[in-house]
Amino acid sequence: MARPDKFTFLLLLLVSLVFGVKSYISLWTFTDAGLSLGSLKTPYWDFLNLWFGSHLAGSGQVELLFDPEAYRAAMRALFGATLPDHEWSYPPSMLLVGVPLSLMPLGLAYWLWTLGGGVALYAALSCLRPIPRPLRLLVVISPVVLQNAFFGQNGAYTTALMIAALALAPKRPLLAGLFAGILTLKPHLGILIPIAWLAAGYWRAIFSAGTVAIILFAATGMIFGFAVWADFRAVTTPLMVSILEAPFPQPYHTQAMTVFIALRALGGSLALAYGAQIVAALIAVAVTWKIWRTDAQALQTVDRIILTALLALVATPYGYSYDGAAIALAAAWLAISRNLTTAPRLVLWIAWLFPVFILSMMFQIYGFFVLIPIALAAMLGTLPPGTGVQASSPGHSTR
């Protein structure tokens, strides 16, 4: 690594760590009501849903997950009457992950979950051979990944699953299918994987993913009762749609990052916002199909994988900043793989640092940070690799 590159690496490392330390100090500083100063909730934030909902299911009270008011009442009985609203928002199969965690004390489960996400993301990045180890480490402690940890969210896991699924499909399709099947726990973040695999002809990976998804569905039903799937469709799905369509302003809109939210922020109707989101999704599908066709050799494999992960953020109407670990990955990769002028480098800095200033700006520019993955995707697709960057192409023997 050249001296200027080392300086930039150390500077970004320092900025990321300062952001993380500042965030975690506020997270573990409490108000008089006993809530976190950083979140105005418990310091476990969104992880509390996974732990508490799974705790209810594991103790035979799974029906409370589909009664929002009873769910909130039970949570407040344990964590205090001032606790803001929470709701169970996951597919029932997420209980297969959550119940083992709920057997641990909340604090221990939270830290295992958080540290596990970082390890999973680093391991997945190791599948992208052109990315050097220092850069993998930098991505794992980037502001967006630290923000994901701050929320107790699962963005590090979902990004890791997507990257591993796409990277391993050519030579280890069954393992790739396993990871894609697990990603059905948050299916809206993996919707482009089947498009890529259909385009590339990775049939064994598709079969493996479908098998894993069926197993997860069946295992969930056998353990918790198949009624949970009907309840999920009848209660949870409409609830999450109502949250998506809620009028402005809502506190959670500060983290929204989708075309849908951007159009709503401009005063667009629901019909217009949905229409724009559908157009964005169709473009993402078309681009994904094109870059994964067997005759498309313009992009090297790592570019295709990162570009697909970025497009997945554009395709979904239900996306938040903490889902965006692929943004840090794309910014880091572009920085070392392209010969960039000042303007593109400024875009990369904005992409890297946006979680640092998102809370102070998002109330003025709802959802418009979706322009970041769009800009990075455009750069990946149009800027030629710099000198010294070796192209690689996926294997074809195991399709």
Side-chain angles (χ1 to χ4, degrees), residues 92-93 96 184 210-229:
S93 49
L96 300 174
T184 59
T211 301
V212 171
I214 292 171
I215 291 173
L216 291 176
F217 174 87
T220 302
M222 288 187 289
I223 296 172
F224 303 103
F226 283 95
V228 296
W229 288 106

Side-chain angles (χ1 to χ4, degrees), residues 22 27 69 130 205 266 306 399:
K22 180 177 180 295
L27 184 66
E69 292 307 317
L266 291 172
I306 298 174
R399 293 182 184 174

Side-chain angles (χ1 to χ4, degrees), residues 131-154:
I131 297 180
R133 289 181 181 178
L135 210 63
R136 299 174 209 162
L137 175 62
L138 189 61
V139 170
V140 169
I141 61 169
S142 64
V144 67
V145 177
L146 291 176
Q147 183 191 43
N148 166 81
F150 178 78
F151 279 91
Q153 266 287 347
N154 47 51

Side-chain angles (χ1 to χ4, degrees), residues 37-61:
L37 184 65
S39 67
L40 297 181
K41 297 185 179 182
T42 72
Y44 309 106
W45 208 324
D46 289 334
F47 178 75
L48 184 61
N49 266 329
L50 178 61
W51 185 89
F52 184 72
S54 300
H55 171 74
L56 291 176
S59 61
Q61 301 178 79

